[in-house]
PDB file of all heavy atoms in Angstrom:
ATOM      1  N   ALA A 163     -16.900  11.018   8.517  1.00 94.00           N
ATOM      2  CA  ALA A 163     -17.214  12.317   9.124  1.00 94.00           C
ATOM      3  C   ALA A 163     -16.921  13.462   8.158  1.00 94.00           C
ATOM      4  O   ALA A 163     -16.537  14.552   8.562  1.00 94.00           O
ATOM      5  CB  ALA A 163     -16.455  12.511  10.433  1.00 94.00           C
ATOM      6  N   GLY A 164     -17.093  13.191   6.853  1.00 92.00           N
ATOM      7  CA  GLY A 164     -16.888  14.220   5.846  1.00 92.00           C
ATOM      8  C   GLY A 164     -15.470  14.316   5.322  1.00 92.00           C
ATOM      9  O   GLY A 164     -15.207  15.097   4.403  1.00 92.00           O
ATOM     10  N   ALA A 165     -14.545  13.525   5.870  1.00 96.00           N
ATOM     11  CA  ALA A 165     -13.150  13.619   5.421  1.00 96.00           C
ATOM     12  C   ALA A 165     -13.025  13.325   3.936  1.00 96.00           C
ATOM     13  O   ALA A 165     -12.215  13.942   3.233  1.00 96.00           O
ATOM     14  CB  ALA A 165     -12.262  12.661   6.228  1.00 96.00           C
ATOM     15  N   VAL A 166     -13.837  12.392   3.431  1.00 95.00           N
ATOM     16  CA  VAL A 166     -13.738  12.015   2.025  1.00 95.00           C
ATOM     17  C   VAL A 166     -14.094  13.181   1.099  1.00 95.00           C
ATOM     18  O   VAL A 166     -13.696  13.198  -0.066  1.00 95.00           O
ATOM     19  CB  VAL A 166     -14.636  10.786   1.747  1.00 95.00           C
ATOM     20  CG1 VAL A 166     -16.108  11.151   1.789  1.00 95.00           C
ATOM     21  CG2 VAL A 166     -14.299  10.159   0.411  1.00 95.00           C
ATOM     22  N   GLU A 167     -14.824  14.171   1.630  1.00 92.00           N
ATOM     23  CA  GLU A 167     -15.192  15.329   0.820  1.00 92.00           C
ATOM     24  C   GLU A 167     -14.026  16.302   0.636  1.00 92.00           C
ATOM     25  O   GLU A 167     -14.044  17.137  -0.268  1.00 92.00           O
ATOM     26  CB  GLU A 167     -16.376  16.067   1.457  1.00 92.00           C
ATOM     27  CG  GLU A 167     -17.574  15.192   1.794  1.00 92.00           C
ATOM     28  CD  GLU A 167     -18.311  14.674   0.576  1.00 92.00           C
ATOM     29  OE1 GLU A 167     -18.169  15.288  -0.494  1.00 92.00           O
ATOM     30  OE2 GLU A 167     -19.025  13.663   0.690  1.00 92.00           O
ATOM     31  N   VAL A 168     -13.034  16.229   1.509  1.00 94.00           N
ATOM     32  CA  VAL A 168     -11.919  17.192   1.455  1.00 94.00           C
ATOM     33  C   VAL A 168     -10.570  16.507   1.271  1.00 94.00           C
ATOM     34  O   VAL A 168      -9.533  17.172   1.233  1.00 94.00           O
ATOM     35  CB  VAL A 168     -11.880  18.058   2.740  1.00 94.00           C
ATOM     36  CG1 VAL A 168     -13.135  18.895   2.850  1.00 94.00           C
ATOM     37  CG2 VAL A 168     -11.703  17.197   3.993  1.00 94.00           C
ATOM     38  N   PHE A 169     -10.567  15.194   1.156  1.00 94.00           N
ATOM     39  CA  PHE A 169      -9.338  14.414   1.115  1.00 94.00           C
ATOM     40  C   PHE A 169      -9.431  13.472  -0.076  1.00 94.00           C
ATOM     41  O   PHE A 169     -10.204  12.515  -0.056  1.00 94.00           O
ATOM     42  CB  PHE A 169      -9.200  13.637   2.429  1.00 94.00           C
ATOM     43  CG  PHE A 169      -7.875  12.978   2.658  1.00 94.00           C
ATOM     44  CD1 PHE A 169      -6.684  13.605   2.342  1.00 94.00           C
ATOM     45  CD2 PHE A 169      -7.820  11.720   3.245  1.00 94.00           C
ATOM     46  CE1 PHE A 169      -5.468  12.996   2.582  1.00 94.00           C
ATOM     47  CE2 PHE A 169      -6.599  11.104   3.499  1.00 94.00           C
ATOM     48  CZ  PHE A 169      -5.427  11.742   3.162  1.00 94.00           C
ATOM     49  N   ASP A 170      -8.668  13.738  -1.138  1.00 93.00           N
ATOM     50  CA  ASP A 170      -8.740  12.917  -2.343  1.00 93.00           C
ATOM     51  C   ASP A 170      -8.305  11.479  -2.076  1.00 93.00           C
ATOM     52  O   ASP A 170      -7.360  11.238  -1.317  1.00 93.00           O
ATOM     53  CB  ASP A 170      -7.862  13.502  -3.444  1.00 93.00           C
ATOM     54  CG  ASP A 170      -8.428  14.791  -4.012  1.00 93.00           C
ATOM     55  OD1 ASP A 170      -9.642  15.013  -3.884  1.00 93.00           O
ATOM     56  OD2 ASP A 170      -7.641  15.580  -4.576  1.00 93.00           O
ATOM     57  N   VAL A 171      -9.008  10.543  -2.699  1.00 96.00           N
ATOM     58  CA  VAL A 171      -8.649   9.130  -2.621  1.00 96.00           C
ATOM     59  C   VAL A 171      -8.310   8.660  -4.033  1.00 96.00           C
ATOM     60  O   VAL A 171      -9.112   8.811  -4.956  1.00 96.00           O
ATOM     61  CB  VAL A 171      -9.792   8.275  -2.042  1.00 96.00           C
ATOM     62  CG1 VAL A 171      -9.341   6.830  -1.857  1.00 96.00           C
ATOM     63  CG2 VAL A 171     -10.277   8.857  -0.723  1.00 96.00           C
ATOM     64  N   TYR A 172      -7.124   8.094  -4.202  1.00 97.00           N
ATOM     65  CA  TYR A 172      -6.641   7.668  -5.516  1.00 97.00           C
ATOM     66  C   TYR A 172      -6.839   6.160  -5.662  1.00 97.00           C
ATOM     67  O   TYR A 172      -7.039   5.442  -4.675  1.00 97.00           O
ATOM     68  CB  TYR A 172      -5.169   8.042  -5.678  1.00 97.00           C
ATOM     69  CG  TYR A 172      -4.944   9.534  -5.681  1.00 97.00           C
ATOM     70  CD1 TYR A 172      -4.826  10.246  -4.488  1.00 97.00           C
ATOM     71  CD2 TYR A 172      -4.877  10.247  -6.877  1.00 97.00           C
ATOM     72  CE1 TYR A 172      -4.652  11.623  -4.487  1.00 97.00           C
ATOM     73  CE2 TYR A 172      -4.691  11.619  -6.885  1.00 97.00           C
ATOM     74  CZ  TYR A 172      -4.579  12.300  -5.687  1.00 97.00           C
ATOM     75  OH  TYR A 172      -4.410  13.665  -5.677  1.00 97.00           O
ATOM     76  N   SER A 173      -6.766   5.685  -6.895  1.00 96.00           N
ATOM     77  CA  SER A 173      -6.922   4.245  -7.119  1.00 96.00           C
ATOM     78  C   SER A 173      -5.884   3.766  -8.114  1.00 96.00           C
ATOM     79  O   SER A 173      -5.331   4.538  -8.901  1.00 96.00           O
ATOM     80  CB  SER A 173      -8.333   3.926  -7.633  1.00 96.00           C
ATOM     81  OG  SER A 173      -8.518   4.430  -8.936  1.00 96.00           O
ATOM     82  N   THR A 174      -5.623   2.459  -8.053  1.00 95.00           N
ATOM     83  CA  THR A 174      -4.690   1.831  -8.980  1.00 95.00           C
ATOM     84  C   THR A 174      -5.260   0.502  -9.444  1.00 95.00           C
ATOM     85  O   THR A 174      -5.923  -0.206  -8.679  1.00 95.00           O
ATOM     86  CB  THR A 174      -3.312   1.613  -8.328  1.00 95.00           C
ATOM     87  OG1 THR A 174      -2.457   0.944  -9.253  1.00 95.00           O
ATOM     88  CG2 THR A 174      -3.411   0.772  -7.061  1.00 95.00           C
ATOM     89  N   ASP A 175      -4.996   0.182 -10.705  1.00 94.00           N
ATOM     90  CA  ASP A 175      -5.385  -1.123 -11.257  1.00 94.00           C
ATOM     91  C   ASP A 175      -4.266  -2.140 -11.139  1.00 94.00           C
ATOM     92  O   ASP A 175      -4.473  -3.324 -11.416  1.00 94.00           O
ATOM     93  CB  ASP A 175      -5.768  -0.977 -12.737  1.00 94.00           C
ATOM     94  CG  ASP A 175      -7.048  -0.172 -12.922  1.00 94.00           C
ATOM     95  OD1 ASP A 175      -8.002  -0.405 -12.161  1.00 94.00           O
ATOM     96  OD2 ASP A 175      -7.088   0.678 -13.824  1.00 94.00           O
ATOM     97  N   ASP A 176      -3.077  -1.696 -10.763  1.00 95.00           N
ATOM     98  CA  ASP A 176      -1.910  -2.582 -10.702  1.00 95.00           C
ATOM     99  C   ASP A 176      -1.161  -2.306  -9.404  1.00 95.00           C
ATOM    100  O   ASP A 176      -0.161  -1.591  -9.387  1.00 95.00           O
ATOM    101  CB  ASP A 176      -1.006  -2.339 -11.920  1.00 95.00           C
ATOM    102  CG  ASP A 176       0.233  -3.231 -11.930  1.00 95.00           C
ATOM    103  OD1 ASP A 176       0.293  -4.185 -11.123  1.00 95.00           O
ATOM    104  OD2 ASP A 176       1.150  -2.952 -12.727  1.00 95.00           O
ATOM    105  N   LEU A 177      -1.659  -2.867  -8.307  1.00 97.00           N
ATOM    106  CA  LEU A 177      -1.081  -2.569  -7.000  1.00 97.00           C
ATOM    107  C   LEU A 177       0.366  -3.034  -6.901  1.00 97.00           C
ATOM    108  O   LEU A 177       1.229  -2.285  -6.441  1.00 97.00           O
ATOM    109  CB  LEU A 177      -1.919  -3.227  -5.898  1.00 97.00           C
ATOM    110  CG  LEU A 177      -1.387  -3.036  -4.471  1.00 97.00           C
ATOM    111  CD1 LEU A 177      -1.247  -1.563  -4.131  1.00 97.00           C
ATOM    112  CD2 LEU A 177      -2.277  -3.748  -3.466  1.00 97.00           C
ATOM    113  N   GLN A 178       0.653  -4.254  -7.338  1.00 97.00           N
ATOM    114  CA  GLN A 178       2.018  -4.757  -7.215  1.00 97.00           C
ATOM    115  C   GLN A 178       2.992  -3.913  -8.040  1.00 97.00           C
ATOM    116  O   GLN A 178       4.088  -3.600  -7.590  1.00 97.00           O
ATOM    117  CB  GLN A 178       2.094  -6.225  -7.636  1.00 97.00           C
ATOM    118  CG  GLN A 178       1.504  -7.197  -6.626  1.00 97.00           C
ATOM    119  CD  GLN A 178      -0.003  -7.253  -6.673  1.00 97.00           C
ATOM    120  OE1 GLN A 178      -0.581  -7.260  -7.756  1.00 97.00           O
ATOM    121  NE2 GLN A 178      -0.653  -7.293  -5.529  1.00 97.00           N
ATOM    122  N   GLY A 179       2.589  -3.531  -9.251  1.00 97.00           N
ATOM    123  CA  GLY A 179       3.441  -2.686 -10.079  1.00 97.00           C
ATOM    124  C   GLY A 179       3.666  -1.321  -9.448  1.00 97.00           C
ATOM    125  O   GLY A 179       4.778  -0.775  -9.495  1.00 97.00           O
ATOM    126  N   PHE A 180       2.626  -0.766  -8.849  1.00 97.00           N
ATOM    127  CA  PHE A 180       2.725   0.529  -8.172  1.00 97.00           C
ATOM    128  C   PHE A 180       3.714   0.451  -7.004  1.00 97.00           C
ATOM    129  O   PHE A 180       4.590   1.307  -6.848  1.00 97.00           O
ATOM    130  CB  PHE A 180       1.339   0.955  -7.686  1.00 97.00           C
ATOM    131  CG  PHE A 180       1.347   2.084  -6.694  1.00 97.00           C
ATOM    132  CD1 PHE A 180       1.649   3.384  -7.091  1.00 97.00           C
ATOM    133  CD2 PHE A 180       1.044   1.847  -5.360  1.00 97.00           C
ATOM    134  CE1 PHE A 180       1.646   4.424  -6.174  1.00 97.00           C
ATOM    135  CE2 PHE A 180       1.045   2.875  -4.439  1.00 97.00           C
ATOM    136  CZ  PHE A 180       1.341   4.170  -4.841  1.00 97.00           C
ATOM    137  N   LEU A 181       3.585  -0.591  -6.181  1.00 97.00           N
ATOM    138  CA  LEU A 181       4.478  -0.735  -5.026  1.00 97.00           C
ATOM    139  C   LEU A 181       5.919  -0.977  -5.463  1.00 97.00           C
ATOM    140  O   LEU A 181       6.856  -0.441  -4.859  1.00 97.00           O
ATOM    141  CB  LEU A 181       3.995  -1.878  -4.131  1.00 97.00           C
ATOM    142  CG  LEU A 181       2.624  -1.681  -3.467  1.00 97.00           C
ATOM    143  CD1 LEU A 181       2.238  -2.919  -2.681  1.00 97.00           C
ATOM    144  CD2 LEU A 181       2.609  -0.449  -2.576  1.00 97.00           C
ATOM    145  N   LYS A 182       6.103  -1.766  -6.516  1.00 97.00           N
ATOM    146  CA  LYS A 182       7.458  -2.023  -7.023  1.00 97.00           C
ATOM    147  C   LYS A 182       8.093  -0.719  -7.505  1.00 97.00           C
ATOM    148  O   LYS A 182       9.277  -0.457  -7.237  1.00 97.00           O
ATOM    149  CB  LYS A 182       7.394  -3.048  -8.155  1.00 97.00           C
ATOM    150  CG  LYS A 182       8.765  -3.446  -8.703  1.00 97.00           C
ATOM    151  CD  LYS A 182       8.641  -4.500  -9.792  1.00 97.00           C
ATOM    152  CE  LYS A 182       8.150  -5.820  -9.219  1.00 97.00           C
ATOM    153  NZ  LYS A 182       8.173  -6.919 -10.238  1.00 97.00           N
ATOM    154  N   ALA A 183       7.315   0.119  -8.193  1.00 96.00           N
ATOM    155  CA  ALA A 183       7.840   1.391  -8.698  1.00 96.00           C
ATOM    156  C   ALA A 183       8.217   2.316  -7.548  1.00 96.00           C
ATOM    157  O   ALA A 183       9.265   2.983  -7.588  1.00 96.00           O
ATOM    158  CB  ALA A 183       6.810   2.059  -9.604  1.00 96.00           C
ATOM    159  N   LYS A 184       7.394   2.360  -6.501  1.00 96.00           N
ATOM    160  CA  LYS A 184       7.709   3.242  -5.369  1.00 96.00           C
ATOM    161  C   LYS A 184       8.945   2.743  -4.615  1.00 96.00           C
ATOM    162  O   LYS A 184       9.764   3.543  -4.149  1.00 96.00           O
ATOM    163  CB  LYS A 184       6.515   3.345  -4.420  1.00 96.00           C
ATOM    164  CG  LYS A 184       5.250   3.937  -5.016  1.00 96.00           C
ATOM    165  CD  LYS A 184       5.485   5.249  -5.728  1.00 96.00           C
ATOM    166  CE  LYS A 184       5.758   6.405  -4.784  1.00 96.00           C
ATOM    167  NZ  LYS A 184       5.901   7.691  -5.510  1.00 96.00           N
ATOM    168  N   SER A 185       9.100   1.430  -4.503  1.00 97.00           N
ATOM    169  CA  SER A 185      10.305   0.876  -3.874  1.00 97.00           C
ATOM    170  C   SER A 185      11.550   1.298  -4.650  1.00 97.00           C
ATOM    171  O   SER A 185      12.578   1.672  -4.066  1.00 97.00           O
ATOM    172  CB  SER A 185      10.227  -0.647  -3.798  1.00 97.00           C
ATOM    173  OG  SER A 185       9.210  -1.067  -2.921  1.00 97.00           O
ATOM    174  N   ALA A 186      11.457   1.254  -5.984  1.00 97.00           N
ATOM    175  CA  ALA A 186      12.588   1.639  -6.825  1.00 97.00           C
ATOM    176  C   ALA A 186      12.922   3.116  -6.669  1.00 97.00           C
ATOM    177  O   ALA A 186      14.067   3.529  -6.873  1.00 97.00           O
ATOM    178  CB  ALA A 186      12.280   1.318  -8.284  1.00 97.00           C
ATOM    179  N   GLU A 187      11.930   3.926  -6.284  1.00 95.00           N
ATOM    180  CA  GLU A 187      12.152   5.356  -6.059  1.00 95.00           C
ATOM    181  C   GLU A 187      12.730   5.646  -4.672  1.00 95.00           C
ATOM    182  O   GLU A 187      12.987   6.795  -4.339  1.00 95.00           O
ATOM    183  CB  GLU A 187      10.834   6.120  -6.222  1.00 95.00           C
ATOM    184  CG  GLU A 187      10.289   6.136  -7.641  1.00 95.00           C
ATOM    185  CD  GLU A 187       8.917   6.776  -7.717  1.00 95.00           C
ATOM    186  OE1 GLU A 187       8.508   7.447  -6.738  1.00 95.00           O
ATOM    187  OE2 GLU A 187       8.240   6.605  -8.743  1.00 95.00           O
ATOM    188  N   GLY A 188      12.898   4.604  -3.848  1.00 96.00           N
ATOM    189  CA  GLY A 188      13.474   4.800  -2.527  1.00 96.00           C
ATOM    190  C   GLY A 188      12.488   4.799  -1.381  1.00 96.00           C
ATOM    191  O   GLY A 188      12.860   5.068  -0.228  1.00 96.00           O
ATOM    192  N   TRP A 189      11.225   4.503  -1.660  1.00 97.00           N
ATOM    193  CA  TRP A 189      10.232   4.425  -0.589  1.00 97.00           C
ATOM    194  C   TRP A 189      10.348   3.083   0.129  1.00 97.00           C
ATOM    195  O   TRP A 189      10.714   2.070  -0.474  1.00 97.00           O
ATOM    196  CB  TRP A 189       8.828   4.552  -1.161  1.00 97.00           C
ATOM    197  CG  TRP A 189       8.476   5.928  -1.656  1.00 97.00           C
ATOM    198  CD1 TRP A 189       9.073   6.608  -2.669  1.00 97.00           C
ATOM    199  CD2 TRP A 189       7.435   6.768  -1.162  1.00 97.00           C
ATOM    200  NE1 TRP A 189       8.475   7.823  -2.845  1.00 97.00           N
ATOM    201  CE2 TRP A 189       7.462   7.951  -1.941  1.00 97.00           C
ATOM    202  CE3 TRP A 189       6.475   6.643  -0.164  1.00 97.00           C
ATOM    203  CZ2 TRP A 189       6.568   9.002  -1.728  1.00 97.00           C
ATOM    204  CZ3 TRP A 189       5.581   7.688   0.048  1.00 97.00           C
ATOM    205  CH2 TRP A 189       5.629   8.845  -0.713  1.00 97.00           C
ATOM    206  N   GLU A 190      10.020   3.089   1.408  1.00 97.00           N
ATOM    207  CA  GLU A 190       9.902   1.829   2.153  1.00 97.00           C
ATOM    208  C   GLU A 190       8.445   1.401   2.122  1.00 97.00           C
ATOM    209  O   GLU A 190       7.550   2.179   2.473  1.00 97.00           O
ATOM    210  CB  GLU A 190      10.379   1.986   3.594  1.00 97.00           C
ATOM    211  CG  GLU A 190      10.299   0.680   4.363  1.00 97.00           C
ATOM    212  CD  GLU A 190      11.111   0.685   5.641  1.00 97.00           C
ATOM    213  OE1 GLU A 190      11.544   1.767   6.069  1.00 97.00           O
ATOM    214  OE2 GLU A 190      11.302  -0.406   6.211  1.00 97.00           O
ATOM    215  N   VAL A 191       8.208   0.164   1.701  1.00 98.00           N
ATOM    216  CA  VAL A 191       6.859  -0.385   1.638  1.00 98.00           C
ATOM    217  C   VAL A 191       6.701  -1.373   2.782  1.00 98.00           C
ATOM    218  O   VAL A 191       7.423  -2.372   2.856  1.00 98.00           O
ATOM    219  CB  VAL A 191       6.597  -1.075   0.287  1.00 98.00           C
ATOM    220  CG1 VAL A 191       5.198  -1.678   0.258  1.00 98.00           C
ATOM    221  CG2 VAL A 191       6.771  -0.082  -0.859  1.00 98.00           C
ATOM    222  N   VAL A 192       5.776  -1.075   3.694  1.00 98.00           N
ATOM    223  CA  VAL A 192       5.557  -1.962   4.844  1.00 98.00           C
ATOM    224  C   VAL A 192       4.116  -2.455   4.814  1.00 98.00           C
ATOM    225  O   VAL A 192       3.178  -1.681   4.617  1.00 98.00           O
ATOM    226  CB  VAL A 192       5.872  -1.263   6.186  1.00 98.00           C
ATOM    227  CG1 VAL A 192       7.337  -0.925   6.280  1.00 98.00           C
ATOM    228  CG2 VAL A 192       5.038  -0.013   6.387  1.00 98.00           C
ATOM    229  N   GLY A 193       3.967  -3.750   4.971  1.00 97.00           N
ATOM    230  CA  GLY A 193       2.647  -4.343   5.045  1.00 97.00           C
ATOM    231  C   GLY A 193       2.192  -4.447   6.488  1.00 97.00           C
ATOM    232  O   GLY A 193       2.909  -4.088   7.421  1.00 97.00           O
ATOM    233  N   THR A 194       0.999  -4.940   6.670  1.00 95.00           N
ATOM    234  CA  THR A 194       0.441  -5.112   8.006  1.00 95.00           C
ATOM    235  C   THR A 194      -0.128  -6.515   8.118  1.00 95.00           C
ATOM    236  O   THR A 194      -0.679  -7.056   7.156  1.00 95.00           O
ATOM    237  CB  THR A 194      -0.667  -4.084   8.269  1.00 95.00           C
ATOM    238  OG1 THR A 194      -1.635  -4.144   7.212  1.00 95.00           O
ATOM    239  CG2 THR A 194      -0.088  -2.679   8.316  1.00 95.00           C
ATOM    240  N   VAL A 195       0.003  -7.082   9.303  1.00 92.00           N
ATOM    241  CA  VAL A 195      -0.429  -8.457   9.507  1.00 92.00           C
ATOM    242  C   VAL A 195      -0.961  -8.609  10.924  1.00 92.00           C
ATOM    243  O   VAL A 195      -0.408  -8.040  11.869  1.00 92.00           O
ATOM    244  CB  VAL A 195       0.734  -9.441   9.253  1.00 92.00           C
ATOM    245  CG1 VAL A 195       1.894  -9.198  10.192  1.00 92.00           C
ATOM    246  CG2 VAL A 195       0.268 -10.878   9.325  1.00 92.00           C
ATOM    247  N   SER A 196      -2.054  -9.350  11.079  1.00 85.00           N
ATOM    248  CA  SER A 196      -2.608  -9.571  12.413  1.00 85.00           C
ATOM    249  C   SER A 196      -2.075 -10.849  13.031  1.00 85.00           C
ATOM    250  O   SER A 196      -2.003 -10.974  14.255  1.00 85.00           O
ATOM    251  CB  SER A 196      -4.144  -9.616  12.347  1.00 85.00           C
ATOM    252  OG  SER A 196      -4.583 -10.647  11.477  1.00 85.00           O
ATOM    253  N   ARG A 197      -1.686 -11.808  12.175  1.00 78.00           N
ATOM    254  CA  ARG A 197      -1.168 -13.083  12.686  1.00 78.00           C
ATOM    255  C   ARG A 197       0.219 -13.312  12.083  1.00 78.00           C
ATOM    256  O   ARG A 197       0.338 -13.811  10.954  1.00 78.00           O
ATOM    257  CB  ARG A 197      -2.110 -14.230  12.304  1.00 78.00           C
ATOM    258  CG  ARG A 197      -3.540 -14.034  12.794  1.00 78.00           C
ATOM    259  CD  ARG A 197      -4.469 -15.111  12.258  1.00 78.00           C
ATOM    260  NE  ARG A 197      -5.847 -14.869  12.625  1.00 78.00           N
ATOM    261  CZ  ARG A 197      -6.688 -14.115  11.927  1.00 78.00           C
ATOM    262  NH1 ARG A 197      -6.271 -13.549  10.794  1.00 78.00           N
ATOM    263  NH2 ARG A 197      -7.929 -13.947  12.332  1.00 78.00           N
ATOM    264  N   PRO A 198       1.292 -12.958  12.801  1.00 75.00           N
ATOM    265  CA  PRO A 198       2.651 -13.044  12.234  1.00 75.00           C
ATOM    266  C   PRO A 198       3.007 -14.416  11.690  1.00 75.00           C
ATOM    267  O   PRO A 198       3.778 -14.525  10.734  1.00 75.00           O
ATOM    268  CB  PRO A 198       3.539 -12.655  13.416  1.00 75.00           C
ATOM    269  CG  PRO A 198       2.676 -11.767  14.260  1.00 75.00           C
ATOM    270  CD  PRO A 198       1.283 -12.338  14.138  1.00 75.00           C
ATOM    271  N   LYS A 199       2.438 -15.476  12.247  1.00 74.00           N
ATOM    272  CA  LYS A 199       2.786 -16.827  11.775  1.00 74.00           C
ATOM    273  C   LYS A 199       2.296 -17.095  10.354  1.00 74.00           C
ATOM    274  O   LYS A 199       2.742 -18.047   9.704  1.00 74.00           O
ATOM    275  CB  LYS A 199       2.208 -17.875  12.725  1.00 74.00           C
ATOM    276  CG  LYS A 199       0.693 -17.915  12.789  1.00 74.00           C
ATOM    277  CD  LYS A 199       0.216 -18.983  13.754  1.00 74.00           C
ATOM    278  CE  LYS A 199      -1.308 -19.059  13.826  1.00 74.00           C
ATOM    279  NZ  LYS A 199      -1.921 -17.838  14.371  1.00 74.00           N
ATOM    280  N   ASP A 200       1.368 -16.231   9.866  1.00 70.00           N
ATOM    281  CA  ASP A 200       0.836 -16.432   8.513  1.00 70.00           C
ATOM    282  C   ASP A 200       1.742 -15.858   7.431  1.00 70.00           C
ATOM    283  O   ASP A 200       1.450 -16.006   6.247  1.00 70.00           O
ATOM    284  CB  ASP A 200      -0.549 -15.774   8.386  1.00 70.00           C
ATOM    285  CG  ASP A 200      -1.593 -16.465   9.254  1.00 70.00           C
ATOM    286  OD1 ASP A 200      -1.319 -17.593   9.710  1.00 70.00           O
ATOM    287  OD2 ASP A 200      -2.663 -15.880   9.477  1.00 70.00           O
ATOM    288  N   VAL A 201       2.826 -15.184   7.811  1.00 80.00           N
ATOM    289  CA  VAL A 201       3.676 -14.490   6.844  1.00 80.00           C
ATOM    290  C   VAL A 201       4.913 -15.322   6.549  1.00 80.00           C
ATOM    291  O   VAL A 201       5.554 -15.857   7.454  1.00 80.00           O
ATOM    292  CB  VAL A 201       4.103 -13.104   7.385  1.00 80.00           C
ATOM    293  CG1 VAL A 201       5.012 -12.395   6.395  1.00 80.00           C
ATOM    294  CG2 VAL A 201       2.873 -12.263   7.668  1.00 80.00           C
ATOM    295  N   GLU A 202       5.253 -15.412   5.261  1.00 80.00           N
ATOM    296  CA  GLU A 202       6.461 -16.126   4.854  1.00 80.00           C
ATOM    297  C   GLU A 202       7.365 -15.184   4.062  1.00 80.00           C
ATOM    298  O   GLU A 202       6.885 -14.358   3.279  1.00 80.00           O
ATOM    299  CB  GLU A 202       6.102 -17.336   3.982  1.00 80.00           C
ATOM    300  CG  GLU A 202       5.250 -18.381   4.708  1.00 80.00           C
ATOM    301  CD  GLU A 202       4.934 -19.561   3.813  1.00 80.00           C
ATOM    302  OE1 GLU A 202       5.526 -19.646   2.720  1.00 80.00           O
ATOM    303  OE2 GLU A 202       4.094 -20.391   4.199  1.00 80.00           O
ATOM    304  N   ASP A 203       8.668 -15.310   4.272  1.00 86.00           N
ATOM    305  CA  ASP A 203       9.691 -14.640   3.456  1.00 86.00           C
ATOM    306  C   ASP A 203       9.764 -13.127   3.644  1.00 86.00           C
ATOM    307  O   ASP A 203      10.530 -12.461   2.951  1.00 86.00           O
ATOM    308  CB  ASP A 203       9.489 -14.938   1.958  1.00 86.00           C
ATOM    309  CG  ASP A 203       9.547 -16.432   1.657  1.00 86.00           C
ATOM    310  OD1 ASP A 203      10.339 -17.123   2.320  1.00 86.00           O
ATOM    311  OD2 ASP A 203       8.801 -16.889   0.790  1.00 86.00           O
TER     312      ASP A 203
END
């Protein structure tokens, strides 16, 4: 509905490295899952 025209979208080539860096900065990283039994650890 035009949101992409006024809302910047960023990209990363190294998602795991990006998330690890943000965790080290004190951010909480939460994933999402539709079937909880599929998640380990």
Side-chain angles (χ1 to χ4, degrees):
V166 71
E167 308 291 339
V168 297
F169 191 41
D170 289 338
V171 185
Y172 295 84
S173 68
T174 177
D175 292 317
D176 180 11
L177 178 57
Q178 286 79 42
F180 166 72
L181 296 177
K182 183 178 292 187
K184 298 309 287 184
S185 293
E187 293 174 14
W189 289 63
E190 182 164 13
V191 178
V192 295
T194 53
V195 61
S196 59
R197 303 173 185 87
K199 64 180 181 295
D200 293 345
V201 179
E202 298 181 10
D203 301 325

